[in-house]
């Protein structure tokens, strides 16, 4: 049983950014290193088996040897899956959704908790997670502007070369459609209950929620 | 997609749940692992040294030996390991490539053995990381050069069927080819030396007859010297004419430096022959003789070092220019200062600023003849500053020139540099290709995927087997992810060219109705078709044929393309997409059978249901007809 230890050797000061810091800062050893909680604890907290956690951690550690992902690395990784478009905005929103304690970096625990909900959670939990993703300022309401941001981010991932050609109003139209569907009392915002109700009544969405269950 | 990132694919796919509530269309079915295996360790025995790694690690690069089923040929049943009879040291780098995604070139390895190992394991050397790539390329270039030198030595054996002219040219260029050439080489060398010595001795004062002032030997033994000169010039002329005759490109030869030197060397003699009688110009003629000294430059044909020196000076032109410029500046400054400083003193030699130039140059180069010295105190102060700074100004550019010389001496010739540049371009092109390969791969497998789904629906299993193209599981999952994104946004990923086309059309047309678009398509069709015909046409079979050769089909594509965004038509796309797809390696779907299945999907929000006009859409392509399936929601 290893106690969780966050070893901050020292924050690395990027030489390009700040020139005024002393030489010692740069000489001190590089990144923040983070060791995750023990395997048993993670097993208890998530719905993954031991083996699955091992596989996940190996992949995680390979890409982020320091143990935490910062937003730039996150964006890089995510962008590699969408070579044709620009995935950085959506990656930003995703990062915020995964970074539950809002400390600017996603540790392995955050990562695995998020994945546990997405892959092994109940439909309710998944919908709550999605709502959280859309609600950018986490105030409990999805406004049209927030939705538009998200929608634009998704459309950005498609890139330029699409068929039919992406027009300016496409995201906006899509948001209108979404709000028509979701906003029952037409007050201009979607609350979490409206959202969950509406999704549960929609066959497509229900079906698609089970889509990724065999991942991993 | 980079290797390590493949491990994050589950995360990316899980994150796709964020799109689900937004999407209006059903998502495609996820690819399933037919035989889901737990990741296992595999043992690679390379000449006795055992390496172990996860199977997944090797699967990251399915187009290499270790990543594909090719390694099964090396599987040893008794020991349950894969045995390779290769160099274990190089194998380390190869395996690290799988682990980290970067290929490194170990410096102590021989370049050709490294290349062989890479070729054996099916890894393209162009992906060597930037940290090691320069070293790799340098070593490779040296190696190639050395091989070429060896080849050239072998090539010097006389080739048959060379014309007399070609033989002569080769003899001139490379004296070691035959004894005649060697003889000629030494004879010309001898005569150049004789000519130069004659010119020198001509001016030495020989013993004089008593009561006469000393005369140079040239005037004493005029006839002898004249005969010597004539003989030399005759030899040189004959040599020049012979070279001119043998040169493959006479015009280029006449412009080359060596031939100009030859001409300048022999011209004074002929000019002298022509104008011996005219007293006025004979003075000018005498000075022309000075050009005879250029004969010494003919030695550069005989000396490689001299040629390199000349080449160095030519390539250091900018440094030399800088040296000259800074010297000139300093000279002018100091000359001015010295002139004004010495103006007061009487009987000063510094009569003008140009006169002071001489003093400044002599001082700055630390010569110090002493014919001009400053007499005033101010003059002496500035004179000393001048000499101190002279050392600096001259010392600075000289090491640059020296280092240039040594660099050029060890460096390869311009031709090899050009060859290296070509390789750089090729490397960038290959890397770019592999990068775009991922998006192309998706477009390309989408067709196959659609095809696959449709086949599954029709239940035609034989044809399913025909689709031998096995994308790895990771790839198919990645493509599924991209497919989900398409469904969410209701748009399709397409090729760059197709996008440009549809952009063009979208600009031309504003209404979705059928008839006007048909007529107005003609103009556009022309461009599209011509653009398509310009594309490289591999024997990509029938799929491309209809889109290419049937304006009717084409028209159909466009008119549907103008519909509102919420309707997706895969049917026209499949024809066009396939024509855009440059991949040659998909004979599978098209060889096996003769029907091309297309699917049209109609979305909910827009009422105008476009029945796929597949019935009308019959490409007259010889090998297939369209079968259209409609799946409504």
């Amino acid at each position: 049983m290893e106690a969780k230890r966050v070893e901050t050797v020292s924050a690395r000061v990027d030489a390009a950014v700040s020139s005024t810091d002393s030489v010692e800062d740069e000489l001190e050893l590089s990144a923040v290193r983070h060791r995750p909680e023990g395997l048993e604890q993670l097993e208890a907290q998530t719905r993954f088996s031991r083996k699955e956690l091992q596989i996940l951690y190996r992949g995680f550690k390979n890409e982020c040897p320091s143990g935490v992902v910062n937003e730039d690395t996150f964006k890089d990784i995510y962008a590699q899956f969408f070579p044709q478009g620009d995935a950085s905005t959506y990656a930003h929103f995703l990062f915020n959704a995964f970074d539950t304690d809002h400390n600017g970096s996603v540790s392995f625990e955050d990562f695995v908790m998020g994945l546990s909900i997405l892959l092994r959670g109940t439909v309710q939990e998944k919908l709550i997670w999605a709502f959280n993703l859309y609600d950018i300022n986490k105030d409990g309401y999805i406004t049209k502007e927030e939705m538009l941001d998200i929608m634009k981010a998704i459309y950005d991932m498609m890139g330029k070369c699409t068929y039919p050609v992406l027009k300016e109003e496409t995201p906006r139209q899509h948001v209108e459609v979404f709000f028509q569907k979701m906003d029952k009392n037409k007050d201009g915002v979607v609350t979490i209950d409206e959202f969950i109700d509406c999704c549960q009544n929609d066959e497509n969405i229900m079906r698609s929620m089970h889509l990724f269950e065999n991942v991993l | 997609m980079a290797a390590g990132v493949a491990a994050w694919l589950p995360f990316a796919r899980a994150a796709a749940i964020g799109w689900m509530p937004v999407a209006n269309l059903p998502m495609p079915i996820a690819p399933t692992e037919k035989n889901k295996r737990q990741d296992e360790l595999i043992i690679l025995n390379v000449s006795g040294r055992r390496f172990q790694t996860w199977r997944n690690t090797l699967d990251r690069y399915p187009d290499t030996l270790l990543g594909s089923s090719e390694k099964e040929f090396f599987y040893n049943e008794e020991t349950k390991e894969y045995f390779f009879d290769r160099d274990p040291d190089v194998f380390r780098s190869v395996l690290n490539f799988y682990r980290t995604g970067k290929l490194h070139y170990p410096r102590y390895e021989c370049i050709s053995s490294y290349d062989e190992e890479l070729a054996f394991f099916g890894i393209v050397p162009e992906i060597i990381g930037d940290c090691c790539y320069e070293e790799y390329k340098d070593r490779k270039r040296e190696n190639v050069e050395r091989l070429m030198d060896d080849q050239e030595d072998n090539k010097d054996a006389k080739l048959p069927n060379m014309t007399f002219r070609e033989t002569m040219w080769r003899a001139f260029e490379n004296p070691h080819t035959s004894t005649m050439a060697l003889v000629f080489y030494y004879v010309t060398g001898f005569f150049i030396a004789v000519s130069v010595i004659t010119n020198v001795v001509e001016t030495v004062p020989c013993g004089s007859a008593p009561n006469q002032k000393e005369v140079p030997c040239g005037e004493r033994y005029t006839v002898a010297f004249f005969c010597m000169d004539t003989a030399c010039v005759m030899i040189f002329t004959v040599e020049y004419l012979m070279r001119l005759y043998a040169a493959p490109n006479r015009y280029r030869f006449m412009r080359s430096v060596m031939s100009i030197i030859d001409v300048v060397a022999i011209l004074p003699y002929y000019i002298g022959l022509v104008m011996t009688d005219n007293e006025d110009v004979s003075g000018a003629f005498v000075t022309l003789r000075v050009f005879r000294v250029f004969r010494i430059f003919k030695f550069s044909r005989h000396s490689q070092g001299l040629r390199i020196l000349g080449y160095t000076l030519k390539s250091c032109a900018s440094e030399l220019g800088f040296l000259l410029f800074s010297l000139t500046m300093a000279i002018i400054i100091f000359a001015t200062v010295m002139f004004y400083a010495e103006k007061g003193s009487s009987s000063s030699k510094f009569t003008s600023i140009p006169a002071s130039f001489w003093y400044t140059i002599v001082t700055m180069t630390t010569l110090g003849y002493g014919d001009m010295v400053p007499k005033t105190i101010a003059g002496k102060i500035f004179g000393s500053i001048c000499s101190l700074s002279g050392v600096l100004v001259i010392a600075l550019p000289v090491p640059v020139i020296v280092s240039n010389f040594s660099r050029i001496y060890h460096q390869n010739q311009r031709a090899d540099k050009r060859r290296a540049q070509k390789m750089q371009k090729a490397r960038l092109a290959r890397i770019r290709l592999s990068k775009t390969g991922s998006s192309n791969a998706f477009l390309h497998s989408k067709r196959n995927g659609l095809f696959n789904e449709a086949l599954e629906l029709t239940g035609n299993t034989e044809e399913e087997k025909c689709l031998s193209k096995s994308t790895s599981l990771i790839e198919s999952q990645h493509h599924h992810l991209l497919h989900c994104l398409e469904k969410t946004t209701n748009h399709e990923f397409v090729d760059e060219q197709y996008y440009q086309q549809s952009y063009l059309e979208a600009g031309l047309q504003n209404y979705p109705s059928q008839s006007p678009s048909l007529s107005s398509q003609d103009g556009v069709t022309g461009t599209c078709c011509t653009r398509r015909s310009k594309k490289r046409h591999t024997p990509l079979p029938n799929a491309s044929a209809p889109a290419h050769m049937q304006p009717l089909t084409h028209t159909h594509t466009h008119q549907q393309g103008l519909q509102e965004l919420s309707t997706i038509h895969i049917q026209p796309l499949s024809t066009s997409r396939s024509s855009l797809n440059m991949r040659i390696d998909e004979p599978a779907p098209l060889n096996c059978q003769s029907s091309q299945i297309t699917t049209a999907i109609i979305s909910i929000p827009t009422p105008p249901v476009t029945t796929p006009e597949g019935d009308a859409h019959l490409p007259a392509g010889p090998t297939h007809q369209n079968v259209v399936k409609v799946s409504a929601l």
Side-chain angles (χ1 to χ4, degrees), chain A residues 3 9 19 24-25 42 53 60-61 65 68 72-74 78 122 167 171 175 180 185 191 195 213 216:
Chain A
V9 182
S19 50
E24 286 89 48
D25 281 344
L42 280 179
L53 282 173
F60 185 86
K61 184 97 178 161
V68 291
D72 291 327
T73 321
F74 196 85
Y78 202 67
T122 64
K167 301 213 180 99
V175 170
Q180 266 171 16
N185 56 0
T191 64
F195 182 73
E213 266 163 18
L216 206 67

Side-chain angles (χ1 to χ4, degrees), chain B residues 414-454:
Chain B
R414 270 169 301 178
D416 282 337
K417 256 196 268 184
R418 252 181 268 134
R419 235 177 290 144
Q421 274 174 10
K422 272 190 227 151
M423 279 196 229
Q424 172 74 356
K425 276 189 213 157
R427 175 193 182 212
L428 290 174
R430 276 176 103 152
I431 290 181
R432 215 182 353 213
L433 202 63
S434 68
K435 279 203 186 130
T436 56
S438 61
S439 47
N440 277 347
F442 171 59
L443 295 173
H444 153 65
S445 72
K446 243 202 316 182
R447 251 190 79 252
N448 284 349
L450 270 178
F451 197 59
N452 232 342
E453 284 170 25

Side-chain angles (χ1 to χ4, degrees), chain B residues 125-198:
Chain B
E126 265 71 17
I127 47 180
I128 291 184
D130 284 331
C131 44
C132 299
Y133 191 68
E134 269 210 50
E135 169 89 20
Y136 172 79
K137 272 295 166 197
D138 283 343
R139 296 273 289 268
K140 191 135 189 205
R141 214 178 328 157
E142 282 173 27
N143 201 34
V144 165
E145 239 181 70
R146 200 173 29 84
L147 287 177
M148 262 177 33
D149 284 346
D150 290 345
Q151 266 183 20
E152 267 183 28
D153 288 343
N154 295 340
K155 208 173 57 174
D156 279 340
K158 185 155 165 114
L159 306 157
N161 303 338
M162 268 175 53
T163 66
F164 175 64
R165 185 172 156 188
E166 284 172 2
T167 329
M168 238 169 62
W169 181 249
R170 251 187 70 222
F172 280 137
E173 292 299 300
N174 194 351
H176 300 287
T177 44
S178 66
T179 32
M180 256 322 282
L182 212 54
V183 162
F184 184 77
Y185 176 78
Y186 282 125
V187 161
T188 39
F190 174 71
F191 271 98
I192 294 174
V194 160
S195 159
V196 169
I197 291 175
T198 315

Side-chain angles (χ1 to χ4, degrees), chain A residues 52-101:
Chain A
E52 289 166 340
L53 282 173
Q54 282 178 337
I55 297 179
L56 279 174
Y57 188 68
R58 285 202 294 261
F60 185 86
K61 184 97 178 161
N62 226 355
E63 207 55 32
C64 320
S66 60
V68 291
V69 197
N70 61 1
E71 189 160 340
D72 291 327
T73 321
F74 196 85
K75 283 186 181 167
D76 276 339
I77 294 174
Y78 202 67
Q80 302 217 19
F81 293 107
F82 302 97
Q84 285 196 325
D86 172 27
S88 51
T89 333
Y90 189 71
H92 168 75
F93 293 133
L94 262 188
F95 186 82
N96 286 340
F98 269 88
D99 184 16
T100 39
D101 48 2

Side-chain angles (χ1 to χ4, degrees), chain B residues 165-166 169 173 240 242-256 259:
Chain B
R165 185 172 156 188
E166 284 172 2
W169 181 249
E173 292 299 300
Y240 180 70
M242 270 169 43
R243 276 184 204 264
L244 191 60
Y245 167 68
N249 186 347
R250 293 209 177 110
Y251 185 56
R252 195 158 59 99
F253 172 73
M254 279 181 26
R255 282 186 310 173
S256 73
S259 84

Side-chain angles (χ1 to χ4, degrees), chain A residues 51 55 58-60 62-64 69 74 77-78 80-84 90 94 98 111 115 118-119 126-127 129-130 133-134 147 151 154-155 157-158 160-167 170 173-174 177-178 181-182 195 199 204-205 208-209 211-212 214-216, chain B residues 1-2 4-5 7-28 30-32 36 38 54 60 99 438-439 478 480-482 484-486 488-496 498-499 502-503 557 560-561 565 569 573:
Chain A
K51 265 209 142 45
I55 297 179
R58 285 202 294 261
F60 185 86
N62 226 355
E63 207 55 32
C64 320
V69 197
F74 196 85
I77 294 174
Y78 202 67
Q80 302 217 19
F81 293 107
F82 302 97
Q84 285 196 325
Y90 189 71
L94 262 188
F98 269 88
F111 180 71
L115 273 190
L118 287 174
L119 298 178
K126 289 180 192 172
L127 289 174
W129 190 92
L133 174 70
Y134 298 149
M147 203 58 220
M151 201 62 76
I154 294 181
Y155 274 87
M157 284 197 282
M158 290 292 296
K160 197 177 53 127
C161 300
T162 58
Y163 177 80
V165 180
L166 266 181
K167 301 213 180 99
T170 318
Q173 284 171 352
H174 205 146
V177 168
F178 179 79
K181 216 175 14 163
M182 300 276 167
F195 182 73
C199 288
N204 267 336
I205 298 182
S208 58
M209 283 292 154
L211 195 59
F212 293 111
N214 65 339
V215 168
L216 206 67
Chain B
M1 210 166 55
V5 180
W8 284 63
L9 189 57
F11 154 72
R13 300 181 70 214
I17 294 220
W19 307 334
M20 301 302 144
V22 171
N24 299 321
L25 304 168
M27 291 293 145
T32 49
K36 181 158 181 158
Q38 284 291 36
W54 297 108
R60 283 178 195 161
R99 291 185 182 131
S438 61
S439 47
H478 185 209
H480 173 249
L481 181 67
L482 292 173
C484 286
L485 182 60
E486 286 186 336
T488 311
T489 56
N490 224 334
H491 286 62
E492 304 247 348
F493 284 113
V494 289
D495 208 326
E496 175 87 31
Y498 190 77
Y499 162 71
S502 53
Y503 194 70
T557 306
Q560 289 209 333
L565 301 168
H569 301 272
L573 262 186

